[in-house]
């Protein structure tokens, strides 16, 4: 079983829709929960990160963490064609002096005009 | 530098040849990561550097893979006797130690023919 599970999609929605992206994880040692966006043939870029359970909002994006259920979500409101990309959840754990980012498989999202 | 720089951006090599991939992290960043991304897959952790030391090299797939970092800056990932299954995008990221955000380079697309 992978430490982080993410539905790879693909997910296709019309412009203006609310998008919900999700990940589950099994390691309760994960401390930080992140969402990265990756455009085709580019490196991932950090969108948002959270530490504790609850919601964090940044413009049209909301990140949600439920540590009791080991479940995180990213919501995109008023989705735009420019939001079309692969979204990767990532979680950070510190082990023996090393810090490690563990990524989900990524969900490929397309917003149709 | 302005960001994480990786070279070459593309590399085609014959099966059995050795390749070296280079990563120039953001100046001053102490932590450096190497990841591998196969087509349609998430990011697979390879190795983590703290300064010039690698406290976590658990992700290196075989002894054909090695990495080093010198001067707390540039890192090279070496793959010996390349195989077709080594074909992937190799991504490097850097951050301040303990920082949540890791900045990724554009990656090196390796194709083994």
């Amino acid at each position: 079983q992978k430490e982080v599970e993410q539905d790879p999609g693909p997910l296709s929605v019309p412009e203006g829709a609310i998008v919900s992206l999700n990940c589950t994880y099994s390691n309760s040692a994960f401390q930080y929960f992140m969402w990265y966006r990756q455009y085709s043939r580019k490196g991932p870029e950090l969108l948002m990160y959270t530490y504790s359970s609850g919601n964090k909002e940044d413009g049209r994006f909301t990140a949600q963490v439920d540590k009791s259920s080991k479940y995180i979500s990213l919501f995109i409101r008023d989705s735009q064609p420019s939001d079309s990309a692969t979204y990767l959840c990532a979680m950070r754990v510190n082990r023996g002096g090393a810090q490690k980012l563990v990524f989900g498989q990524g969900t490929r999202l397309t917003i149709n005009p | 530098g302005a960001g994480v720089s990786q070279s070459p951006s593309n590399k085609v090599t014959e099966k059995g040849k050795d390749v070296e991939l280079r990563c120039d992290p953001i100046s001053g960043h102490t932590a450096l990561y190497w990841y591998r991304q196969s087509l349609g897959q998430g990011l697979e952790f390879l190795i983590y550097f703290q300064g010039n030391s690698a406290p976590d090299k658990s992700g290196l797939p075989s002894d054909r893979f090695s990495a080093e970092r010198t001067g707390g800056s540039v890192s090279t990932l070496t793959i010996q006797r390349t195989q077709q299954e080594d074909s992937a995008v190799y991504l490097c990221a850097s951050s301040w130690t303990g920082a949540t955000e890791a900045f990724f380079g554009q990656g090196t697309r390796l194709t083994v023919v």
Side-chain angles (χ1 to χ4, degrees):
Chain A
Q1 182 189 6
K2 294 181 180 179
E3 286 187 285
V4 179
E5 298 277 0
Q6 182 176 10
D7 186 341
L11 182 61
S12 181
V13 301
E15 182 176 356
I18 296 175
V19 177
S20 172
L21 304 167
N22 311 293
C23 289
T24 58
Y25 63 95
S26 57
N27 189 345
S28 48
F30 287 136
Q31 298 167 314
Y32 286 90
F33 305 89
M34 291 155 274
W35 286 96
Y36 279 80
R37 178 175 61 196
Q38 185 177 26
Y39 290 114
S40 182
R41 295 186 172 265
K42 301 288 187 182
E45 56 177 341
L46 182 67
L47 270 180
M48 297 182 69
Y49 70 90
T50 58
Y51 176 75
S52 55
S53 285
N55 295 349
K56 182 176 181 179
E57 192 173 315
D58 184 0
R60 297 184 295 109
F61 298 87
T62 299
Q64 188 175 79
V65 173
D66 182 345
K67 286 188 175 182
S68 62
S69 301
K70 297 189 175 66
Y71 188 88
I72 70 169
S73 300
L74 178 70
F75 299 97
I76 307 174
R77 290 184 300 280
D78 187 25
S79 55
Q80 304 294 310
S82 58
D83 295 329
S84 298
T86 296
Y87 290 79
L88 299 132
C89 62
M91 306 183 188
R92 198 185 94 187
V93 61
N94 293 334
R95 285 177 183 151
Q99 57 189 47
K100 186 173 178 177
L101 298 177
V102 182
F103 284 81
Q105 189 176 349
T107 300
R108 190 170 178 180
L109 173 67
T110 301
I111 309 298
N112 301 303
Chain B
V4 178
S5 177
Q6 291 187 246
S7 60
S9 53
N10 284 284
K11 175 73 177 178
V12 180
T13 190
E14 291 181 352
K15 178 181 172 181
K17 300 280 191 183
D18 297 352
V19 294
E20 268 194 6
L21 312 179
R22 177 186 169 107
C23 173
D24 283 87
I26 292 172
S27 179
H29 278 188
T30 48
L32 186 146
Y33 307 80
W34 281 100
Y35 285 85
R36 178 168 71 174
Q37 187 173 32
S38 301
L39 187 63
Q41 301 297 309
L43 275 66
E44 175 190 4
F45 170 80
L46 296 177
I47 190 168
Y48 164 79
F49 284 95
Q50 176 57 40
N52 293 335
S53 301
D56 190 349
K57 53 179 79 171
S58 61
L60 294 176
S62 74
D63 58 8
R64 295 187 296 105
F65 287 73
S66 62
E68 65 173 12
R69 189 178 184 195
T70 55
S73 181
V74 172
S75 177
T76 54
L77 177 68
T78 302
I79 308 173
Q80 296 178 308
R81 305 181 303 282
T82 51
Q83 304 294 313
Q84 286 187 327
E85 61 262 28
D86 299 335
S87 297
V89 176
Y90 289 81
L91 289 157
C92 173
S94 71
S95 74
W96 294 106
T97 300
T100 302
E101 181 163 14
F103 295 84
F104 281 83
Q106 301 278 56
T108 294
R109 186 173 298 271
L110 175 66
T111 304
V112 181
V113 297

